[in-house]
Amino acid sequence: MAGTGVPAAVAALAASVRDFVTGQQDGRAAEVAAGLKDGSWTVLQLVEALGFCLENTDPRMRGRGIQLLSQVLLQCYSLLQEKEVLHLVLFYENRLQDHHLVIPSVLQGLRALSMCEVLSPGLAVSVLKAIFQEVHVQSLLQLDRHTVYSIITNFMGTREEELKGLGADFTFGFIQVMDGEKDPRNLLVAFQIVRDLIAKNYALGPFVEELFEVTSCYFPIDFTPPPNDPHGIQREDLILSLRAVLASTPQFAEFLLPLLIEKMDSDLQSAKLDALQTLTACCAIYGQKELQEFLPSLWSSLRREVFQTASEKVEAESLAALHALSACLSRSVLSSDTEDLLDSFLSSILQDCRHHLCEPDMKLVWPSAKILQAAAGASLRACHHVTRSVLPLLLEQYTKHPQSSQRRTILEMLLGFLELQQKWGHMEEEESTLLSLQAPVCSVVFSALTDPSVQLQLVGIRALTVLGSLRGFLSPSDLELVVDHLIRLALCEEDSQSSEAAMEAAGSLAPMYPKVFSGRMVPRLEEELQSEQEEESSRDHCSLRQRCLQALAAVSTHTSIVRETVPVLLQHLRKVQKGSEAGSAQDIISVCQSLHRVALRCQQDAESCWYYHQTVVPCLLAMAVQAAMQESTHPPLGKALLQEEVLAAMVPVISAATTHLSPELAAQSVSHVVPLFLNGEVSFLPQNSFPCSFQPFQDGECLETQRRLVALLMAFVCSLPRNVAIPQQEWLLRELLALSCSCNCPFTATTAAKCFAGLVNKHPAGQQLDEILQLAVNRIEPGLAEGPHRTQALTLLLWVTKALVLRYHPLSSHLTDKLLGLLSDTELGPAAANGFSLLMAEAPDVLHKGCHADVRIMFRQRFFTDNVPKLVQGFHGAGPDVKANYLKGLSHVLNHLPKPVLVTELPTLLSLLLEALSCSDRVVQLSTLNCLQPLLLEAPQIMSLHVDTLVTKFLSLASSPTMAVRIAALRCAHALTSLPTIALLPYKARVIRALAKPLDDKKRLVRKEAVAARGEWFLLGSPGR
């Protein structure tokens, strides 16, 4: 059997060969390769089968035979034996002398062999020599030239030492191969080969200039990829690849630098930019020796580009190149007999630029300052050289020029040099110019802080921040003066810009000088707060109090300062609570906002976070509990603290104080807070002598104010890490559930529902959770059916649905269906429709990742997929009086969906969105407009099919009585101009005419949008658009 099998296989091979060679059946190559892989025949048998065509006098026949052999080898090169590779290499080398029609297939075969691991030593050199001698590469087609580059790349990767044995002959051979290459696909490979030649230290010999010429002839790259280019090669790819070659060796410097100077002097901006970026790259590897001869010319070109260019890009690249040159010269090690090129280079720059600094009103002052700062920023040595000359001059000029605008220019330049000093860190007394000028520098900065000009003050505050960051520069007396200036600016300066900048500066400097700020600034702020409390509450006093509170928060950037500021804020809160004036609610909110800012700062430090939590949370709870009890016994006393907006302001404070606690500390805290609400356990609260018991979950009208404090419980328990166990959680959930369904106060019912939802979202899956959810459903369904608490039941349904949708709980689909059913309810339908916004948006206080909620990725996409078809179906089947509810719900879902997802679904939903624009409900109109605006920009082709309807609707809504709708409609009219021009031109005159009316709108924001939209429509179809 075996004996008959071999001839049969050989016969099949011969048939496949004939079909490929004479029958032009290219698919046979894969069959032959498969037979070779499974052992049906050998390479030798394949060559023998090809004998009739390899010896044929017709070059096309020979080429076809070699093509088959090469295609098989490309698939099977890893199976070849060393002896087989040797014979095949010799065969292919010989065929390189064949007819030009045969050469492409020969090169493919050699590429396959170049990937063989069993290639004998010497064969790589032999192949490359044969290619260099026998093949005129640049006369080949692009693909065949690419094959040659691939062969060279393969051998450089695996036979490096052998190729290096060729010496400079290998470099010369490659130069001949590359010379004249034009195709960008091949150039990317060729540039990589040149980089490897240099990086791997191949011998360049006498051919350095030739190698430079063969690559630099492409500089600067001038290539525009054809439209729909399948290869995806961009101009930037070629630029970066060539730059890596040109900047790869100092040996190119004598040829490259004149070329770069020539291109910098050209009128073509792209050539300038390329030359400047290449010079910057070269400076990373050049030394003094390479640059010395060309420094004057380089400086001349760079100076001209900064002084005269109209392009910000060219200016920025020129400054970067100057910085790189200065850094390069700074790196060079000096010997006693060599000139310090850095010194002479910087002296040239100072000579040409320094005098312009004396003319703060002239146009060259800023270019000169930028040049000096770019050079000085390169090294500490360069910084000392430049600042030694420039700083005394700037200080002198500041004194000479009395005008605020001139002083601002001079101080901004001075600030630039101070920031450079900051960059180099700690100052050494014997070297630092700045230390010797300490008194005049401080005098200038302090004078700027007292100047009437706000803009000069702002620069002075920035300079003050930099000076403070220089360790050892400011003396203790200067530091006290700094703090005094910051206090004055923060509290007393009329302009809010200066006040905010001073607070920000205090926050930056406080961690470096905590003792000065806690000992000087905090007491002053506390004193101001106390004196304000005693005086009458005029508008000015309120403003000063606000600033004191903001400053206390701003300066709380160090643990020790936090321990000073938090008690001050809490003490002030207690005093405000006791006050009975009308503004006390707003005052409490202001204190809470400051406490919230401090809490956010403390989150970065575990020690500060725990101190803040155990100080602030019990205090706020104690004050709220006290107020709730006083409200039930002495109504006027606790009123301000129990207002909804005040409790809402306390929520983020408690939440921020809790989210970053470690699980151990959070567990310690929760063991106090939950019993407070469930059992009335007040022992952990400060000043806990209350007139009656705290029972927020008990029935009774007199306890209504206590029930409001569930908002604070929500802030705490819904911000705990998920792995913290909540004591008596099942009891707590039942109480919250009951409160959310039965409470007549909407605020209390909503916060109870949110708290319940937040706990359910984090509750581990299992029987307990299922029971709680079943209880909730049993309360929700009858509550929605009838009775006085339908709104509360809907609120609970919405929040529980959101909690379950976020975590992909199976019950979420049942609850969502319940919500969809309510859209047809005439009483609850509009509220249910608005509820879809709640489901899709991120809640600020609960159920978001910041408070450790269980939020799965792409929950919005999943909700869209599951429910939008039901919304569409419901819309089509609904009566005319409730159709708007379905449109509103759909609009809310689409408005919160990621835009790439929405674009893919646009064709099926666009007709409904257009119908939603005709809905009389302002919320539907606004939500739909906000949804359509980005779609006009991202899916212009689809939207252009409905351009007539869109134009009509947008122009109609631009006259809406609601300002927000008018603005959104005008923005959409503006976005229409991104559609294909040919579709818009018929509407141009009509739109321009219609947009004239909102130009006279009574609201400035509407007029602003109308101007922008009308301007774009005027330019529609103009040349260059």
Side-chain angles (χ1 to χ4, degrees), residues 528-795:
E528 289 289 345
L529 274 179
Q530 286 174 349
S531 62
E532 281 303 308
Q533 198 67 31
E534 292 160 9
E535 295 180 26
E536 291 183 19
S537 180
S538 68
R539 177 176 293 186
D540 288 345
H541 291 141
C542 286
S543 172
L544 183 55
R545 191 156 55 233
Q546 282 278 94
R547 287 194 177 183
C548 282
L549 295 171
Q550 290 168 0
L552 282 166
V555 80
S556 302
T557 50
H558 187 273
T559 307
S560 64
I561 300 176
V562 168
R563 291 175 182 270
E564 302 287 335
T565 55
V566 166
V568 173
L569 288 168
L570 293 177
Q571 182 62 29
H572 181 65
L573 186 59
R574 291 189 193 97
K575 284 189 176 180
V576 172
Q577 183 205 359
K578 290 173 185 172
S580 57
E581 69 269 15
S584 63
Q586 187 53 51
D587 288 340
I588 294 173
I589 291 171
S590 298
V591 180
C592 288
Q593 288 169 345
S594 289
L595 282 169
H596 182 234
R597 283 196 286 272
V598 178
L600 294 176
R601 293 180 188 279
C602 289
Q603 286 177 348
Q604 312 307 318
D605 178 68
E607 182 188 344
S608 296
C609 188
W610 177 235
Y611 165 77
Y612 183 92
H613 181 87
Q614 64 180 352
T615 306
V616 173
V617 173
C619 181
L620 291 182
L621 290 173
M623 290 169 62
V625 170
Q626 181 84 35
M629 291 178 179
Q630 285 177 341
E631 173 72 9
S632 52
T633 54
H634 306 89
L637 287 174
K639 204 163 187 179
L641 202 65
L642 298 173
Q643 291 181 21
E644 290 178 14
E645 58 268 28
V646 173
L647 289 171
M650 294 170 76
V651 165
V653 178
I654 294 175
S655 180
T658 307
T659 52
H660 284 62
L661 288 181
S662 67
E664 298 76 24
L665 295 176
Q668 186 178 327
S669 189
V670 77
S671 66
H672 296 303
V673 176
V674 171
L676 167 68
F677 282 84
L678 289 178
N679 308 317
E681 180 56 62
V682 296
S683 59
F684 82 102
L685 297 178
Q687 300 171 349
N688 54 19
S689 55
F690 300 119
C692 59
S693 60
F694 181 60
Q695 299 171 319
F697 291 116
Q698 296 296 314
D699 293 330
E701 289 220 8
C702 63
L703 299 175
E704 178 58 44
T705 52
Q706 293 189 16
R707 285 196 278 274
R708 287 186 169 211
L709 302 194
V710 169
L712 306 185
L713 173 67
M714 174 199 75
F716 176 77
V717 295
C718 292
S719 302
L720 292 167
R722 252 186 277 175
N723 56 353
V724 174
I726 296 173
Q728 302 170 298
Q729 184 169 10
E730 306 311 313
W731 179 16
L732 178 60
L733 284 166
R734 288 169 190 270
E735 295 288 3
L736 289 167
L737 183 59
L739 186 60
S740 65
C741 291
S742 59
C743 183
N744 292 318
C745 171
F747 175 79
T748 303
T750 301
T751 51
K754 288 161 76 171
C755 188
F756 179 83
L759 292 173
V760 161
N761 173 264
K762 297 180 190 177
H763 199 295
Q767 185 181 351
Q768 282 186 329
L769 177 61
D770 295 341
E771 289 174 2
I772 286 292
L773 290 174
Q774 191 56 52
L775 270 178
V777 171
N778 292 344
R779 292 296 291 263
I780 289 169
E781 289 181 344
L784 289 171
E786 57 183 359
H789 296 119
R790 293 189 76 199
T791 304
Q792 287 91 324
L794 174 60
T795 302

Side-chain angles (χ1 to χ4, degrees), residues 279-288 291 295 298-299 302 317-334 340-350 370-387 417 420 423-424:
L279 174 61
T280 302
C282 289
C283 287
I285 62 161
Y286 286 3
Q288 288 207 36
L291 292 172
L295 275 177
L298 287 169
W299 163 234
L302 292 171
E317 293 299 341
S318 300
L319 293 171
L322 191 65
H323 179 94
L325 276 172
S326 182
C328 177
L329 297 174
S330 301
R331 282 195 306 271
S332 301
V333 179
L334 297 175
D340 183 357
L341 282 183
L342 176 66
D343 191 64
S344 56
F345 181 61
L346 294 176
S347 296
S348 302
I349 295 175
L350 283 164
K370 288 177 183 177
I371 286 174
L372 288 166
Q373 286 166 11
S379 69
L380 186 58
R381 194 152 63 97
C383 187
H384 284 322
H385 187 111
V386 174
T387 52
F417 290 102
L420 291 178
K423 172 184 173 182
W424 296 112

Side-chain angles (χ1 to χ4, degrees), residues 438 442 446 464 467-468 470-476 478-479 482 513:
Q438 181 183 12
C442 287
F446 291 154
L464 195 66
L467 289 180
L470 299 172
R471 289 284 184 189
F473 183 80
L474 295 173
S475 65
D478 285 335
L479 274 173
V482 165
Y513 310 103

